[in-house]
Amino acid sequence: MARDMANDAVPPPIDLWSSMRQATSARIGLGRSGDAMPLKAVLDFQLAHAKARDAVHAPLDFDALEEQLAPYETIRVASLAPDRPTYLRRPDLGRRLDKESAAKLDAVQHGYDIVFVLSDGLSSIGVQMHAAPMIRACMERLGDLKVAPIVIARQARVALSDDVGERLGARLAVSLIGERPGLSVAESLGVYLTYEPRVGRRDSERNCISNVHGLGGLSYDLAAEKLAWLARTALKLQLTGVKLKDDVAAIAPPEIAGEIG
Amino acid sequence: MAALTCDLGGDRYVFDDLKDVLAKASSRKSGDELAEIAAETDAERIAARMALADLPLKTFLSETVVPYEDDEVTRLIIDSHDAEAFRPISHLTVGGLRDWLLSHEADSAALAAVSPGLTPEMAAAVSKLMRNQDLIAVAKKRRVVTAFRTTLGLEGRLGSRLQPNHPTDDLRGIAVSVLDGLLYGVGDAVIGINPATDNVPNAISLMKMLDDLRLHYDIPAQTCVLTHVTNTIEIMNRGAPVDLVFQSVAGSEAANNGFGVDLSVLKEAHQAGLSLKRGTVGQNVMYFETGQGSALSAEAHHGVDQQTMEARAYGVARAYDPMIVNTVVGFIGPEYLYDGKQIIRAGLEDHFCGKLLGLPMGVDVCYTNHAEADQDDMDSLMTLLTVAGCTFLIAVPGADDIMLNYQSLSFHDMLYLRGALGVKAAPEFEAWLERMDMVTPEGRIRELGLRDPRVARLVDQTRLVA
């Protein structure tokens, strides 16, 4: 038996596919049941899709998030999208505060260097898992700035941070938002920085750090390091967006220059 | 144009102009609702269809949905309209066109003859009066044949794009996905990579790897790295092996500007691709991708519904004799196509309009995780499209694109379509599969164990290349 295997010129099948799988996480070498996918592969796929859908549709647990964020002060707000189906159909509504939230922000103190806006986005699980540790990593690096109370937003898009930042009179708005889930990673967090946030800012006026998660993504420390550098540079240059991105390559240390969109 | 009206049981519906009646006659789409141009009630939608049905086709030659002066796509559509080809149908209304398309006299040759006389807006308009089965029945009659190293669009054939994407463009990771797809007989339309990093040196290294693989395996297929067309022009200047020249296009000048292109740069790219003369059985060198909602998302839709804007993108594509065109139908997300029903309808509309206008139309049958859709919806759409004679479909390992984070079709799905509907790959590619002894006498793709010497040989070559 052992000798047979030793004499076999072709490596055993399992070894061959597994060595190829080291090169990619694509669903290769699944095998066949007739022409169809084997049941195990079908069910694995369905489970991954179910988790991604749960990440989109599970409501953000505000109480749990506030507990994680203690002792930082928080303010809860909501967008104009009243529910998930409306949120998914109407990105425009997810970019604006509802009347009550707007009044709430108008009533609090104004004038900050930076405001953090935590938004469910397309993955509430991403925010639930990664927003609080990410905030701590950011505070360690940006604690000397005048930081607004942390805003937690429901049914929110990135641009809601414009509405929030403008009402609070913040020089910078940082949106920490759940990214569109894929089958392999459903809990990724995105970070968007906007100088002088105000309603109507275009996406080209922001800088983005994406893929903050624990499954081979960016670590909290590295993401916070990049954000801190971008934030201080934005305050100095008085801009964010394409122009800042262009400059990153020229002036940032290499570990920061990579991956900033 | 005077306002159009439709009286329904005491209610009068009024439509301001051509683009208003087109938008309101459209099947329900979340994108048109987002743009606030959709019918407000189901009854208004049908009233719009009734008004549209009575509209003479000639109206579309005097009335534009995007002004001629403001938009080079409109100018292309109007200036390239073939009045001679239009003559046999010039007396028809939009409703009359629907009936004629379905008539038996409108055979393959008759449909091909009128193509240059149809504007994208006419195609979009008539599709709004057609049920899904009508879209399938007419598209099936309209064969569009193109060729490079394979010949696509022939009767009884279904092409496939092998899409071996990788999140970091790892050459070996991409090569093993190509190998996996070849074992299912996939890739005759194109072996095409969406690069994760969009720059010239990276694209060149991917192209060289694909070209080496193609030469090592002696595959009659074309390869493509789907980078921006200006990158591909630069890459051709540097002498790298470019087969198909890729670009995303949309239905207005402003939307194309959002993609960083205009008609002149597309022409330059087309000429450059032709000059390489790399095709063996034909010289269709362009590859375009489109999708409903792209103009609206670029805020460049001019108040026109997303399906009409999509048909205008085909008006752009057909100016450059493409090898393949595909709509990426479910990729854009639920704010444009909300659920499986809307995605399936849009996929059939896009395929029909593309074919009617004379394009080698394929579809990326796909969805994102925030849309109300799943693989069952994809099963329905791919089956319907194959019945409709779709030129090609896109397939990725296990239906999971690990770079673009969406779900398309699997390599297995292509086997299902071959088996269930009796279609085959392009003749040149099918002959290669037979040479490789990968096809059974019944025409099935053999399931080869990894111990099989045929596979071992492919694996060794993968190692050599990547």
Side-chain angles (χ1 to χ4, degrees):
Chain A
M1 179 77 178
R3 202 174 53 189
D4 283 354
M5 283 181 70
N7 286 342
D8 197 339
V10 181
I14 290 173
D15 287 352
L16 195 52
W17 278 121
S18 67
S19 88
M20 288 198 268
R21 284 201 185 90
Q22 286 168 7
T24 180
S25 58
R27 291 167 197 259
I28 54 167
L30 297 180
R32 288 163 55 179
S33 299
D35 289 339
M37 243 185 238
L39 182 59
K40 183 179 183 309
V42 172
L43 293 176
D44 285 348
F45 181 98
Q46 288 181 354
L47 177 62
H49 183 230
K51 284 182 171 171
R53 284 184 54 79
D54 285 347
V56 172
H57 291 279
L60 184 60
D61 184 340
F62 278 65
D63 293 339
L65 190 56
E66 283 184 341
E67 264 177 48
Q68 292 179 57
L69 287 166
Y72 296 119
E73 190 189 341
T74 58
I75 304 175
R76 297 186 187 192
V77 298
S79 79
L80 282 171
D83 52 41
R84 209 60 177 161
T86 311
Y87 172 81
L88 292 173
R89 276 197 185 87
R90 293 289 303 271
D92 53 328
L93 298 182
R95 297 183 188 121
R96 297 300 301 269
L97 290 162
D98 71 6
K99 213 172 153 187
E100 195 184 321
S101 304
K104 194 191 273 185
L105 292 183
D106 289 343
V108 303
Q109 188 200 326
H110 286 222
Y112 300 97
D113 292 322
I114 192 165
V115 58
F116 290 92
V117 183
L118 278 43
S119 303
D120 45 8
L122 288 170
S123 171
S124 56
I125 293 174
V127 182
Q128 211 85 55
M129 287 177 70
H130 303 304
M134 186 62 199
I135 285 286
R136 288 182 204 291
C138 292
M139 291 297 194
E140 282 173 21
R141 292 163 174 86
L142 293 167
D144 59 311
L145 298 178
K146 190 174 180 196
V147 183
I150 294 164
V151 175
I152 310 178
R154 192 176 62 222
Q155 313 293 12
R157 304 264 170 185
V158 171
L160 190 97
S161 63
D162 293 336
D163 205 350
V164 170
E166 186 173 9
R167 286 177 194 280
L168 291 179
R171 298 171 70 200
L172 288 170
V174 179
S175 175
L176 301 182
I177 189 164
E179 294 185 321
R180 193 172 101 175
L183 288 199
S184 48
V185 181
E187 69 262 22
S188 184
L189 189 77
V191 182
Y192 292 82
L193 178 72
T194 312
Y195 179 76
E196 269 188 4
R198 57 170 185 266
V199 171
R201 283 270 183 233
R202 300 180 70 89
D203 288 341
S204 58
E205 296 177 283
R206 311 182 201 285
N207 294 93
C208 170
I209 302 165
S210 63
N211 280 311
V212 181
H213 60 80
L215 301 167
L218 211 54
S219 69
Y220 305 134
D221 280 336
L222 188 50
E225 198 67 34
K226 290 184 182 207
L227 178 70
W229 186 88
L230 279 174
R232 291 189 195 282
T233 309
L235 287 173
K236 195 160 63 192
L237 300 180
Q238 305 190 356
L239 55 84
T240 46
V242 177
K243 179 72 175 66
L244 181 55
K245 178 187 167 185
D246 289 345
D247 287 354
V248 167
I251 54 179
E255 69 272 20
I256 286 167
E259 290 186 49
I260 290 174
Chain B
M1 185 178 90
L4 294 167
T5 59
C6 178
D7 291 309
L8 284 183
D11 289 325
R12 164 158 288 207
Y13 293 90
V14 181
F15 305 102
D16 297 339
D17 53 19
L18 184 58
K19 67 183 177 186
D20 188 36
V21 76
L22 286 170
K24 289 185 171 144
S26 286
S27 66
R28 189 175 177 197
K29 309 268 173 59
S30 50
D32 293 330
E33 291 171 339
L34 178 64
E36 299 181 332
I37 54 175
E40 285 182 17
T41 64
D42 288 338
E44 187 186 23
R45 176 170 296 116
I46 307 309
R49 286 179 190 171
M50 289 176 169
L52 183 60
D54 292 336
L55 198 66
L57 284 180
K58 280 179 181 157
T59 311
F60 291 85
L61 298 177
S62 55
E63 191 89 9
T64 58
V65 293
V66 180
Y68 183 92
E69 304 73 35
D70 301 346
D71 187 273
E72 65 172 358
V73 176
T74 302
R75 291 196 289 276
L76 171 69
I77 290 166
I78 297 294
D79 296 350
S80 64
H81 181 255
D82 184 336
E84 202 52 46
F86 181 62
R87 200 178 310 279
I89 54 169
S90 61
H91 61 291
L92 295 175
T93 59
V94 179
L97 177 61
R98 179 263 183 194
D99 293 341
W100 181 77
L101 290 173
L102 287 161
S103 73
H104 296 139
E105 71 183 77
D107 59 11
S108 195
L111 291 176
V114 300
S115 267
L118 288 167
T119 66
E121 290 85 351
M122 292 177 197
V126 74
S127 76
K128 295 173 198 295
L129 304 182
M130 296 169 78
R131 285 173 46 191
N132 286 3
Q133 65 161 284
D134 302 339
L135 298 174
I136 293 167
V138 176
K140 187 179 174 59
K141 293 194 282 186
R142 181 67 174 97
R143 311 298 325 177
V144 177
V145 178
T146 57
F148 189 79
R149 286 192 196 97
T150 58
T151 307
L152 299 177
L154 298 169
E155 186 79 35
R157 306 283 174 169
L158 172 68
S160 56
R161 169 179 163 194
L162 200 172
Q163 182 169 301
N165 295 341
H166 189 281
T168 60
D169 294 329
D170 180 90
L171 292 181
R172 187 163 151 72
I174 288 171
V176 298
S177 287
V178 172
L179 167 69
D180 196 47
L182 291 174
L183 291 176
Y184 295 80
V186 168
D188 60 329
V190 64
I191 301 173
I193 305 169
N194 299 90
T197 306
D198 198 8
N199 63 44
V200 167
N202 186 56
I204 289 176
S205 67
L206 292 171
M207 275 173 198
K208 285 187 171 162
M209 186 272 282
L210 284 184
D211 202 51
D212 286 350
L213 270 179
R214 178 183 69 80
L215 293 168
H216 274 287
Y217 296 172
D218 191 24
I219 315 169
Q222 34 285 333
T223 65
C224 185
V225 173
L226 285 73
T227 186
H228 194 270
V229 70
T230 53
N231 285 348
T232 306
I233 290 171
E234 171 62 22
I235 289 164
M236 287 189 276
N237 288 338
R238 295 192 196 179
V242 173
D243 287 347
L244 298 189
V245 179
F246 171 81
Q247 183 55 44
S248 293
V249 294
S252 72
E253 181 177 339
N256 283 327
N257 288 346
F259 285 134
V261 297
D262 58 23
L263 299 181
S264 69
V265 77
L266 293 177
K267 186 176 178 188
E268 181 189 346
H270 184 212
Q271 295 302 326
L274 284 175
S275 73
L276 299 180
K277 297 187 170 60
R278 288 172 58 86
T280 50
V281 294
Q283 290 298 339
N284 297 107
V285 298
M286 299 301 287
Y287 175 9
F288 293 113
E289 275 193 349
T290 64
Q292 289 190 28
S294 61
L296 174 59
S297 80
E299 295 172 30
H301 64 296
H302 298 270
V304 178
D305 71 89
Q306 64 186 33
Q307 192 242 333
T308 301
M309 288 309 279
E310 172 73 2
R312 285 169 53 93
Y314 308 154
V316 172
R318 74 170 167 177
Y320 308 96
D321 301 325
M323 176 67 180
I324 44 176
V325 179
N326 73 264
T327 168
V328 196
V329 69
F331 185 72
I332 194 162
E335 59 268 46
Y336 301 93
L337 295 169
Y338 185 66
D339 56 13
K341 183 179 174 67
Q342 293 188 6
I343 291 170
I344 289 168
R345 174 72 197 179
L348 293 174
E349 289 168 348
D350 293 352
H351 176 252
F352 164 82
C353 288
K355 282 285 169 71
L356 197 61
L357 294 169
L359 289 178
M361 200 68 201
V363 179
D364 189 355
V365 173
C366 65
Y367 63 102
T368 60
N369 286 315
H370 57 318
E372 288 296 316
D374 62 20
Q375 226 60 32
D376 288 335
D377 298 305
M378 303 304 105
D379 289 346
S380 300
L381 181 54
M382 70 174 167
T383 305
L384 296 173
L385 284 167
T386 305
V387 173
C390 188
T391 301
F392 75 106
L393 300 171
I394 287 180
V396 304
D400 173 10
D401 190 304
I402 56 171
M403 198 283 279
L404 293 171
N405 276 329
Y406 77 119
Q407 286 85 252
S408 179
L409 300 183
S410 66
F411 300 142
H412 300 75
D413 292 331
M414 302 308 298
L415 297 184
Y416 150 75
L417 293 167
R418 286 176 74 106
L421 298 167
V423 289
K424 290 185 170 185
E428 300 84 358
F429 196 83
E430 199 72 27
W432 175 77
L433 292 171
E434 280 167 21
R435 277 206 304 283
M436 300 293 284
D437 198 17
M438 285 169 62
V439 187
T440 68
E442 302 80 43
R444 297 186 194 286
I445 301 293
R446 241 183 249 288
E447 184 172 5
L448 300 176
L450 281 176
R451 284 167 182 272
D452 192 292
R454 287 165 292 201
V455 176
R457 200 165 63 237
L458 288 177
V459 171
D460 283 345
Q461 283 166 349
T462 305
R463 287 192 177 130
L464 283 178
V465 173

